[in-house]
Amino acid sequence: MPEPETNLPVPRAPLALLLAAAFFVAPLLFFTNLTRNPYYLQITLLNVAVLGAAGLFVWGSIKRGRWLLPASALSKPLAALGLVYLVSFAWAWFGHEAFYRPAMAAEGMRAGLFFVINCLAVFYLALSVPFGRDDAEVPAGKWLAFILGWGALWFLFPALKMQLPGDGLFERMFDPYGALLWVSGFTAAYLLVRRCRQEDVLHLALAAGAIAALYGILEYFHVELIWAKLLNPYGNRSVSTFGNPNFISSYLVLFMPLAASLLMKADTAAKRWLYGLIFLSYGGMLMCSLTRSSWLGAAAAFAFLFAFGAHRARLKANKKFLYPFFAAALLMIMFWPSDSLKPFSSGLFDRVSEAVTNVNSPADVNLAGDTGKVYGSFHQRLLIWTGAWQMGLENPLLGKGWGTFELFYPFFQGRAILNFPAVRGLRTHANNAHNEILEQWAQGGLLGLGVYLWFLAALFYGFLRFYRSAGEEARYDAVPLAAGLVGMLADNMLNVSLHFAVPAFGFWWLAGALALKTAGTGTYPPWRSPRAARAAAWLLLLCCAGAAFLWQRQFTREFRYFNGFKIMRSNNAAAAAAELKRAWEAHPREVNCNYEMGNAYVRAGEQEKAAWAYKEALKANAGYDEIYFNLAIVLKRLGRGQEALDLLKVSALINPLNAVTWQALAEIYLSAPDRGKIAAEAAGDFQEAVRAFPYDPSMWNTLGYFQSLLKDFTSARYSYARGVKLDPGNRMLVENLTGVVRKGMGQQKDPDLDWYNAYADLAPRADAGAGVPALLRQADALVAMDPANAKARTLRARLYFRAGSLPEARSDLEAALRANPSDNSARYGLAVILEKTGELPAAIAEWGRFLELEPGNAAVAARLKELRERR
């Protein structure tokens, strides 16, 4: 291999500047009042830095007349992966209706740019930055001073920060002391990596991770140095500078084995202090993130690390220091306080026991909830995995189409939550599959998954072959790189961080570094067709510049979108719409921005413009039910009923749990000039509505009406009867049932009408002052007529309660809730009985469920608070 100081084919200074921006600024710089997504600036900076670095190599290729693309055995699987992604997307493009194609183009472009920039470009950049001759040259003391010194200067920020007047981009970003800190930090980072050796870059990644980790630990213990209030969008799970606890935890999993490996061979006090600090800060931040998938990833990484004799031998060789150190680190992790910060608590124990308690048998691994346990954290993933599996099954060879997961997943989820009521509260708009295997399968099918596994197999085969043949020091240095990748992949069996900018950047850089360490690179042969190659190089350079410009426009869009969002909250709809329109002009394919623009136009009274904006939102991402719904309402107001009807159907398909959507559908159907012609269509739709809302009498009433129009009186009788038994006080339902039985079916007697008459006779007397035994006999007869009816059970429970028979009343109320879990009148009575019998934990649980269904009930909220305080 050529000498390290001569095998970098581009100027070091600009490359070092760009690497410092990517590894130091991008993970750490973020603003809470700049864009709606606080880490969008990070994404922009990272992408522009990577594009700039790639442009340096393309420019170098033009000057030298040869491609400065390092040869690698992994180039073939990576090229094949890109080709499969492209074919998969093209097949999906032609296989879907034209309506979806603008959104597919937007999502496909986003996924394509991510793959090319955050994956391929980063991998080849890492492959191009050489390792030094000896990592003993790494200035450990300077790195330690950098972490501690620059980090300590932020403690002065609360006292020295100064908000500039104004609400422009510069005023929101600039602070004199903050600017001084960033200039000094960036300068120090540049000086530390100016030689552009792989060791320097990896140490910058370690240092940035340590600074972010230490800041996150302060957050966890409610110490905030930068912002006016503590950032806790995920409860007490620290987000640090990464915007999401799952992202920083994955980043730390990547580099934690490297920190441990360097610590194990540290031969000076400065190195022990440096790597010990990094390792402990990473461990603490992993606990602060409370990300169990990353804990599993870290465990997998260290199991891999110590599976190799080189590291076990180094551990034993320095056991006087390392055994106590790692034992102390393990104790720190085990006894790290839970997110409640209670003394003597353990976050590790609490989070693990929570998962084990809720998912502890194969029977719990289903969406039916028939074991009585639905654990949100796990079952939501199970819901997403189910949708991902079904997406792949549509085309097992090529998948649903690369880049289309977020777009099409909601349609699959809609069917699942309709079929499995137990998980309806877990509905989400998933960006990714939360499992890397299913991610590849869902979008790329067997071909995509197979080529992806080919790439990973080639990478790790190269590592294992190198480990068997290399010298002791070289193979020792390769193991932590591979261990970090193993940890990240294990983490992403339950996580999505491989598909977000900063953690993905770290993964692909580490993959390139491992490939370089284990296989090196070849020479750069001259161009065979100079003219064609030079034209291609200039085109690539223009693409790099164009992509950087695109990111600038996207950042401008996000800045203006956040401005418009805030103006909207100040009730100035016209001004908000104007600002959001400027955001759209900067970059038109962002669904949240366009949706908010539509809302602003609606509130400003500009219905036609609102319709246009909602259509623009659908062109960005056609997987949001609320866009279809809002557009339908606007079109309904504009007199375009058929279009509104079609849109409402799509909205109900994506989210069948929105009762307002069904109500709007009913209004359009009922306002049709000839209801008979659309009765079959309406009845079919409301068959779905009653599946989604089986305890809503109005849905049954609407279904019964359209079944009556079809002269399907048997079905209409059943629907009206269901409605009557859910709400016996609804006179319209009773009249409709009576009418369909007597006029439609020509019958005078009906068991459901008999039940209603018995209920109507008993209900007014249930709270009378006397005659409880006789009333109870009457209630027994009513329950015998329909033992599963919640209303009859609740009515009898009231009589049992008056008679002092609390166990019998409780049994009836529990049966009523099994028949209708949304019956808060039964739940109220059950909670009162549980209080009277002294079962306070159970009573608190029932009052809590009551508030989930009626969050605005102040009296119940006060009662719940009182019970919790008493407990």
Side-chain angles (χ1 to χ4, degrees):
M1 186 184 296
E3 287 297 312
E5 298 300 323
T6 62
N7 64 355
L8 187 64
V10 297
R12 294 179 186 279
L15 182 61
L17 286 169
L18 292 165
L19 292 176
F23 278 96
F24 174 66
V25 182
L28 298 178
L29 180 64
F30 74 109
F31 291 87
T32 60
N33 193 35
L34 197 63
T35 55
R36 184 91 187 273
N37 176 342
Y39 49 94
Y40 207 88
L41 179 61
Q42 292 183 337
I43 301 172
T44 301
L45 287 172
L46 179 61
N47 278 273
V48 171
V50 171
L51 287 164
L56 280 178
F57 281 87
V58 176
W59 177 245
S61 298
I62 293 172
K63 291 179 66 176
R64 293 194 180 198
R66 60 186 66 196
W67 291 115
L68 302 182
L69 187 68
S72 171
L74 299 171
S75 294
K76 287 183 179 179
L78 285 173
L81 189 61
L83 179 61
V84 170
Y85 287 168
L86 185 60
V87 171
S88 171
F89 176 81
W91 187 269
W93 172 273
F94 291 108
H96 284 83
E97 293 291 332
F99 169 82
Y100 293 103
R101 289 176 184 171
M104 292 177 69
E107 289 293 294
M109 176 64 76
R110 180 184 59 80
L113 286 175
F114 185 91
F115 178 68
V116 171
I117 300 171
N118 288 82
C119 305
L120 293 183
V122 173
F123 176 83
Y124 281 103
L125 284 173
L127 204 60
S128 302
V129 175
F131 281 92
R133 285 182 290 266
D134 186 355
D135 63 7
E137 297 177 10
V138 173
K142 292 180 180 179
W143 282 109
L144 182 63
F146 173 60
I147 295 171
L148 294 177
W150 193 72
L153 290 173
W154 283 100
F155 281 88
L156 299 176
F157 185 75
L160 298 177
K161 67 180 178 181
M162 181 176 66
Q163 178 67 49
L164 296 182
D167 199 37
L169 178 62
F170 178 77
E171 288 81 6
R172 276 190 248 173
M173 290 184 66
F174 185 78
D175 173 89
Y177 182 68
L180 179 64
L181 282 178
W182 277 108
V183 169
S184 62
F186 182 76
T187 301
Y190 164 73
L191 291 174
L192 286 165
V193 299
R194 67 186 185 278
R195 290 175 296 182
C196 287
R197 302 180 313 171
Q198 194 68 236
E199 290 87 351
D200 301 322
V201 176
L202 292 174
H203 274 75
L204 183 55
L206 289 170
I211 293 168
L214 292 169
Y215 174 51
I217 292 170
L218 290 175
E219 276 186 327
Y220 191 77
F221 291 100
H222 300 170
V223 177
E224 178 56 66
L225 300 178
I226 299 173
W227 307 110
K229 62 178 182 179
L230 188 69
L231 301 181
N232 55 355
Y234 296 86
N236 204 41
R237 297 180 64 195
S238 292
V239 301
S240 186
T241 61
F242 279 61
N244 188 310
N246 295 353
F247 297 168
I248 185 169
S249 62
S250 293
Y251 188 86
L252 302 182
V253 166
L254 270 173
F255 293 104
M256 199 172 182
L258 179 60
S261 182
L262 291 169
L263 175 67
M264 289 164 61
K265 69 172 186 177
D267 53 6
T268 66
K271 289 183 178 180
R272 287 184 176 179
W273 278 102
L274 171 64
Y275 304 127
L277 171 67
I278 293 172
F279 184 85
L280 292 176
S281 68
Y282 282 20
M285 182 61 219
L286 273 178
M287 302 312 299
C288 293
S289 74
L290 299 175
T291 306
R292 285 168 297 197
S293 65
S294 294
W295 296 351
L296 291 173
F302 279 95
F304 185 92
L305 189 76
F306 288 110
F308 292 90
H311 278 73
R312 295 196 303 271
R314 193 66 62 103
L315 181 66
K316 292 177 182 177
N318 198 8
K319 61 183 179 181
K320 288 185 179 180
F321 166 69
L322 293 175
Y323 281 10
F325 178 87
F326 285 124
L330 187 60
L331 287 173
M332 178 192 77
I333 289 172
M334 291 178 63
F335 294 103
W336 194 270
S338 67
D339 58 344
S340 63
L341 299 184
K342 291 180 180 179
F344 309 111
S345 62
S346 169
L348 179 66
F349 175 79
D350 287 353
R351 291 284 281 172
V352 172
S353 62
E354 176 188 307
V356 171
T357 301
N358 287 283
V359 186
N360 55 16
S361 73
D364 295 328
V365 186
N366 69 75
L367 296 177
D370 47 16
T371 63
K373 291 187 292 186
V374 175
Y375 180 43
S377 181
F378 172 76
H379 284 91
Q380 188 176 73
R381 282 176 169 79
L382 191 59
L383 179 62
I384 296 170
W385 295 341
T386 302
W389 175 251
Q390 292 173 335
M391 289 173 77
L393 285 178
E394 278 204 353
N395 184 347
L397 186 64
L398 290 170
K400 184 65 177 174
W402 186 253
T404 65
F405 186 93
E406 184 179 356
L407 170 59
F408 289 121
Y409 167 75
F411 293 90
F412 292 85
Q413 179 181 239
R415 293 292 88 191
I417 59 177
L418 194 62
N419 293 327
F420 299 102
V423 296
R424 288 179 177 178
L426 304 179
R427 180 180 174 272
T428 184
H429 194 96
N431 302 96
N432 300 94
H434 288 72
N435 179 285
E436 190 60 15
I437 293 175
L438 286 173
E439 180 83 19
Q440 300 296 326
W441 154 260
Q443 299 181 95
L446 289 172
L447 273 180
L449 176 60
V451 176
Y452 187 78
L453 294 177
W454 174 26
F455 163 73
L456 293 176
L459 178 64
F460 282 96
Y461 173 74
F463 158 73
L464 292 172
R465 186 176 59 182
F466 175 82
Y467 187 85
R468 289 194 296 267
S469 60
E472 181 179 349
E473 192 69 20
R475 63 184 186 176
Y476 179 91
D477 291 340
V479 173
L481 305 179
L485 297 175
V486 167
M488 181 69 145
L489 290 168
D491 179 6
N492 274 262
M493 293 300 105
L494 295 164
N495 203 345
V496 296
S497 53
L498 266 171
H499 302 278
F500 286 83
V502 174
F505 170 72
F507 176 87
W508 286 94
W509 185 277
L510 216 57
L514 178 63
L516 175 64
K517 171 66 78 173
T518 57
T521 61
T523 59
Y524 308 117
W527 287 334
R528 293 182 179 178
S529 303
R531 287 186 178 179
R534 189 175 298 276
W538 277 108
L539 180 60
L540 280 175
L541 198 61
L542 287 173
C543 287
C544 289
F549 177 75
L550 176 65
W551 273 105
Q552 180 270 326
R553 300 305 294 166
Q554 290 187 95
F555 177 76
T556 301
R557 177 203 66 209
E558 289 296 305
F559 175 71
R560 293 195 177 281
Y561 162 48
F562 193 44
N563 287 346
F565 179 83
K566 291 191 293 183
I567 295 170
M568 187 76 162
R569 296 307 177 269
S570 66
N571 295 318
N572 189 344
E579 184 66 8
L580 291 163
K581 177 67 179 302
R582 284 191 282 270
W584 175 86
E585 289 168 349
H587 184 264
R589 291 293 174 260
E590 210 293 315
V591 63
N592 297 291
C593 175
N594 296 348
Y595 175 69
E596 193 71 16
M597 179 168 57
N599 294 341
Y601 279 130
V602 167
R603 291 178 60 181
E606 300 189 70
Q607 303 299 322
E608 290 286 359
K609 289 184 177 179
W612 167 80
Y614 288 135
K615 289 178 181 178
E616 287 298 299
L618 290 175
K619 288 179 181 178
N621 188 321
Y624 286 85
D625 65 285
E626 52 264 53
I627 306 175
Y628 291 96
F629 177 82
N630 286 11
L631 177 57
I633 298 304
V634 169
L635 293 179
K636 182 173 175 251
R637 292 172 184 168
L638 294 172
R640 295 153 66 177
Q642 185 58 51
E643 291 179 68
L645 185 66
D646 294 340
L647 289 164
L648 287 170
K649 287 185 176 185
V650 180
S651 182
L653 178 66
I654 296 173
N655 180 14
L657 306 183
N658 187 355
V660 181
T661 301
W662 295 110
Q663 291 163 9
L665 265 172
E667 289 178 12
I668 293 178
Y669 278 130
L670 293 171
S671 65
D674 189 348
R675 299 174 194 171
K677 290 184 178 179
I678 49 87
E681 180 183 350
D685 285 341
F686 276 86
Q687 288 282 7
E688 295 291 285
V690 296
R691 287 184 65 201
F693 296 94
Y695 309 113
D696 188 331
S698 67
M699 298 292 182
W700 286 105
N701 189 43
T702 304
L703 174 60
Y705 172 75
F706 287 112
Q707 289 169 332
S708 297
L709 289 181
L710 293 170
K711 301 189 182 306
D712 183 1
F713 297 120
T714 301
S715 298
R717 191 210 71 83
Y718 175 81
S719 298
Y720 286 139
R722 284 292 302 267
V724 166
K725 288 188 173 182
L726 288 165
D727 185 7
N730 189 315
R731 292 301 307 167
M732 180 184 291
L733 275 165
V734 175
E735 292 171 3
N736 288 341
L737 176 59
T738 304
V740 79
V741 167
R742 294 178 180 169
K743 296 180 181 179
M745 302 178 71
Q747 300 176 1
Q748 295 302 310
K749 292 287 292 180
D750 181 81
D752 292 311
L753 278 176
D754 291 342
W755 179 93
Y756 166 74
N757 290 327
Y759 182 93
D761 178 62
L762 177 61
R765 298 183 290 126
D767 294 323
V772 172
L775 293 174
L776 269 173
R777 287 193 295 274
Q778 195 173 343
D780 289 340
L782 178 67
V783 171
M785 295 172 74
D786 186 357
N789 185 264
K791 290 293 182 182
R793 290 275 191 174
T794 303
L795 186 57
R796 188 170 70 173
R798 283 160 54 193
L799 292 167
Y800 275 133
F801 188 83
R802 284 180 52 209
S805 302
L806 296 187
E808 290 81 359
R810 175 178 177 174
S811 177
D812 265 345
L813 291 171
E814 289 174 340
L817 286 170
R818 284 193 296 272
N820 182 1
S822 64
D823 188 348
N824 256 2
S825 62
R827 180 163 282 111
Y828 189 102
L830 178 59
V832 170
I833 290 173
L834 291 170
E835 282 191 47
K836 283 184 173 293
T837 56
E839 300 175 69
L840 289 189
I844 288 171
E846 291 302 331
W847 286 128
R849 294 189 189 100
F850 186 105
L851 284 178
E852 288 176 6
L853 295 170
E854 291 184 43
N857 194 312
V860 170
R863 185 65 182 156
L864 180 59
K865 181 181 178 183
E866 179 186 339
L867 287 179
R868 284 173 173 166
E869 291 173 351
R870 188 197 308 176
R871 186 183 176 193

